[in-house]
Amino acid sequence: MHQESAAKPLHQRLLAGEPAAAEELVTTEGGRLFQASRRILGNEEDALDCVQEAFAKAFQKISTFEGRSDISTWLYRILINESLIRLRQKRRSKIIDIDSLMPEFDIEGCRIEPPWQPVKDPEQLAESGEIRRHVRAAIDILPEDARNVLLLRDIEELNTRETAEILEISEAAVKVRLHRARAALKKLLEPHFGAGDVE
Amino acid sequence: MSKVKVMRTIKSAVAKSPIGLSCCDLEERVDAYLENELGWPAKMKIRMHAAMCRDCTSYLRAYTATRDLVRAAIRTEAEGADTLPDDIARKILERKKSGPEDGAA
Ligand SMILES: [Zn+2]
């Protein structure tokens, strides 16, 4: 690699058509993108397809990259969009009625809630493959709007503004959907914290 | 009157006072509370309510534990997938060479 070309920002070298720049981008970002797509989609095959699609799109529209954000952030966003599109296309056997999973209150506005007596903590539970399958299955039956927000906020750990930008919805909508998704998952997954389900 | 009923009566009386909060009010603020977005007075109201309300305490614990479980489970599930396989990296670069140049489309 030439000294003068290495000093130029990566996106400018990509724009100039330097083959080494493309290779550098794939080497430095490929693993991270693969893992993010794997988290969203839940399987490697789809994730690898999305990573390829994301790079193809990025190379095609590199001239639209304005250099205001990091190129890795820009690329990550393309990947997230690709992954969410792929997720939407996947056939689902069942989508839950999310309203039926919301917290319950009596007529006075008092909560009706069973006592919380977990046997294991979340990190320990996540070590069980059986539990991980339950978690993925619970996410899979959420309505799309709640599921997308949950994946970006709680799995990808993006903030409210970033999530709103990617999904092209308001920040208020992000907050409402996140709360519904979390409350639904609580209802679906809390039985697994009990003694009966621990391996 | 049972103990539970007495607690509920006290709780709803406090909820109606200016410093009070009902379980429903707490529900509306739960994410802002957990994400530390609330100011000090609002935070104190939630803590006061939770100190009196066993149901909301249980709820808050279960809610945060599930959120943490979901994050931990998905992160663990994707742990192995941290390197792009060589053949895929090659495919990406080959496709770039044969594909349309930027701006040509
Ligand atoms: Zn309460």
Side-chain angles (χ1 to χ4, degrees):
Chain A
M1 197 184 290
H2 300 294
Q3 197 62 40
E4 65 272 26
S5 72
K8 263 206 245 165
L10 186 57
H11 75 271
Q12 285 183 15
R13 290 164 46 216
L14 283 166
L15 255 179
E18 279 185 35
E23 208 173 321
E24 189 183 324
L25 191 68
V26 174
T27 310
T28 53
E29 301 297 331
R32 199 175 68 95
L33 297 184
F34 175 33
Q35 201 164 36
S37 192
R38 171 75 177 75
R39 285 193 294 265
I40 288 178
L41 289 160
N43 79 78
E44 298 199 351
E45 206 186 324
D46 286 336
L48 288 172
D49 282 350
C50 281
V51 173
Q52 294 179 68
E53 243 0 89
F55 273 112
K57 286 217 167 127
F59 291 141
Q60 252 174 50
K61 53 184 199 178
I62 183 69
S63 65
T64 66
F65 174 69
E66 290 164 342
R68 273 189 301 210
S69 62
D70 210 326
I71 190 154
S72 71
T73 308
W74 179 75
L75 188 56
Y76 173 77
R77 286 195 170 204
I78 296 174
L79 183 271
I80 293 293
N81 275 319
E82 278 307 311
S83 305
L84 292 179
I85 291 169
R86 176 66 60 109
L87 191 61
R88 187 188 308 142
Q89 289 165 347
K90 277 168 78 175
R91 277 175 70 92
R92 296 208 269 170
S93 50
K94 174 179 157 193
I95 297 172
I96 199 103
D97 168 21
I98 199 165
D99 289 325
S100 69
L101 299 172
M102 292 302 107
E104 290 170 62
F105 302 92
D106 67 14
I107 44 161
E108 295 273 325
C110 276
R111 189 186 295 282
I112 304 163
E113 181 73 15
W116 175 241
Q117 289 161 330
V119 171
K120 284 197 172 185
D121 67 40
E123 295 288 333
Q124 282 176 308
L125 268 180
E127 285 166 17
S128 149
E130 174 81 25
I131 295 288
R132 292 201 296 273
R133 277 188 292 280
H134 283 305
V135 171
R136 182 59 76 178
I139 295 174
D140 274 347
I141 58 172
L142 292 178
E144 186 183 331
D145 57 354
R147 181 177 66 177
N148 285 351
V149 169
L150 181 104
L151 288 168
L152 299 194
R153 288 284 285 109
D154 278 355
I155 306 300
E156 292 308 302
E157 300 185 55
L158 299 177
N159 64 32
T160 303
R161 187 182 46 79
E162 292 164 335
T163 304
E165 278 173 16
I166 289 178
L167 298 176
E168 297 177 334
I169 57 176
S170 69
E171 292 190 25
V174 170
K175 289 180 180 180
V176 171
R177 292 176 195 187
L178 177 65
H179 180 246
R180 286 167 66 75
R182 284 175 171 177
L185 289 180
K186 171 201 166 279
K187 193 86 163 189
L188 290 168
L189 294 170
E190 64 188 347
H192 301 301
F193 281 90
D197 223 85
V198 178
E199 281 174 3
Chain B
M1 226 195 225
S2 74
K3 202 177 149 197
V4 174
K5 269 201 165 163
V6 174
M7 271 316 286
R8 292 225 155 144
T9 312
I10 298 173
K11 231 164 67 180
S12 67
V14 176
K16 284 170 195 142
S17 78
I19 55 154
L21 206 68
S22 70
C23 299
C24 284
D25 297 332
L26 184 142
E27 182 67 34
E28 278 171 24
R29 295 161 177 77
V30 62
D31 296 293
Y33 174 68
L34 295 175
E35 250 124 88
N36 218 0
E37 292 169 1
L38 294 178
W40 182 80
K43 226 188 300 189
M44 284 319 288
K45 276 187 187 179
I46 289 192
R47 292 205 179 133
M48 264 177 53
H49 177 93
M52 259 187 329
C53 179
R54 213 164 40 181
D55 298 80
C56 279
T57 304
S58 283
Y59 182 79
L60 282 170
R61 288 192 180 139
Y63 191 85
T64 47
T66 324
R67 182 201 56 185
D68 296 346
L69 168 64
V70 169
R71 187 172 295 159
I74 300 301
R75 297 221 152 229
T76 309
E77 190 192 71
E79 246 164 29
D82 55 357
T83 329
L84 201 60
D86 288 343
D87 61 319
I88 301 290
R90 236 187 343 264
K91 264 195 203 168
I92 292 169
L93 294 169
E94 272 161 21
R95 189 166 156 191
K96 183 186 185 306
K97 269 185 231 153
S98 60
E101 279 302 305
D102 178 47

